[in-house]
Amino acid sequence: MRAPIGPFEQARPAPECLDELTRPVADAIRSWTAGVPAERIVYVDTDPAIADTAAFVEHYGRELLAQSANCVVVAAKRGGETALAACLVPSGARADVNGAVRRRLGARKVSFAPMETAVERTGMEYGGITPIGLPADWPLLVDPAVVGMPYVLIGSGRRRGKLIAPGELFAALPAVEVVEGLAV
């Protein structure tokens, strides 16, 4: 099958390639209950050496910058407690951590979570963190531009491979909140 976006000739429905995904992502797809059928989530094999956005779009096509989103893990601090959350924003933007994220999470201070923390707590590889399969108790803040995309290229939980899913899927994930002004 051909991928719905990008130059990827070899694409497969994600439920058919669970072995290519990290355990949390595979488990989420295996037990999928969100409104969009899991078969509409597509896996494409990609080079892990160029998983980061700039290198990825340079290699696979600049048009993918407008068709992809990055998932970042943030640490919100309030009253001596730290809570983790995730933000999903278009790849050409960045999460408004000190504004929209801080206000939405009701935190005194928000920063990007340390790489070791993000990897350990998500069970995913750095550079491949995806909103599919995040811990169920984490808030997931999503920019409306992502939800409005026909298809969105996101991480697969590993540096090797990407997932492509309809934008509407991201409004149906557990603990999600679509936040205006999340991306700047």
Side-chain angles (χ1 to χ4, degrees), residues 20-22 25 43 128 130 154-158 160-163:
E20 302 296 329
L21 307 171
T22 59
V25 178
Y43 174 82
T130 185
I154 56 171
S156 68
R158 297 177 59 208
R160 166 167 235 115
K162 299 285 185 187
L163 297 175

Side-chain angles (χ1 to χ4, degrees):
M1 105 186 250
R2 183 158 177 77
I5 59 172
F8 313 105
E9 304 262 338
Q10 298 297 319
R12 298 182 291 163
E16 294 177 11
C17 52
L18 299 177
D19 290 344
E20 302 296 329
L21 307 171
T22 59
R23 172 168 275 165
V25 178
D27 288 349
I29 291 173
R30 189 178 294 110
S31 62
W32 193 256
T33 58
V36 175
E39 291 73 22
R40 292 192 58 203
I41 304 169
V42 175
Y43 174 82
V44 293
D45 189 39
T46 59
D47 183 349
I50 55 173
D52 296 325
T53 302
F56 188 87
V57 299
E58 187 64 36
H59 180 81
Y60 289 104
R62 303 277 319 146
E63 71 281 357
L64 289 174
L65 187 62
Q67 300 171 318
S68 60
N70 289 331
C71 185
V72 295
V73 177
V74 296
K77 297 176 183 172
R78 182 176 188 193
E81 298 290 319
T82 300
L84 297 176
C87 301
L88 186 66
V89 297
S91 292
R94 60 180 175 78
D96 182 13
V97 173
N98 293 314
V101 176
R102 184 181 56 75
R103 284 190 301 275
R104 196 65 223 119
L105 298 177
R108 181 182 50 77
K109 180 180 178 187
V110 176
S111 57
F112 294 106
M115 178 179 65
E116 302 79 25
T117 301
V119 168
E120 179 183 322
R121 297 288 304 277
T122 62
M124 301 178 201
E125 295 177 5
Y126 189 75
I129 293 176
T130 185
I132 297 172
L134 288 171
D137 61 338
W138 285 17
L140 171 60
L141 307 180
V142 177
D143 190 84
V146 174
V147 176
M149 292 180 193
Y151 283 93
V152 185
L153 180 91
I154 56 171
S156 68
R158 297 177 59 208
R159 288 185 66 82
R160 166 167 235 115
K162 299 285 185 187
L163 297 175
I164 300 171
E168 65 186 297
L169 172 145
F170 301 103
L173 290 174
V176 73
E177 184 175 347
V178 179
V179 178
E180 285 289 337
L182 179 65
V184 292

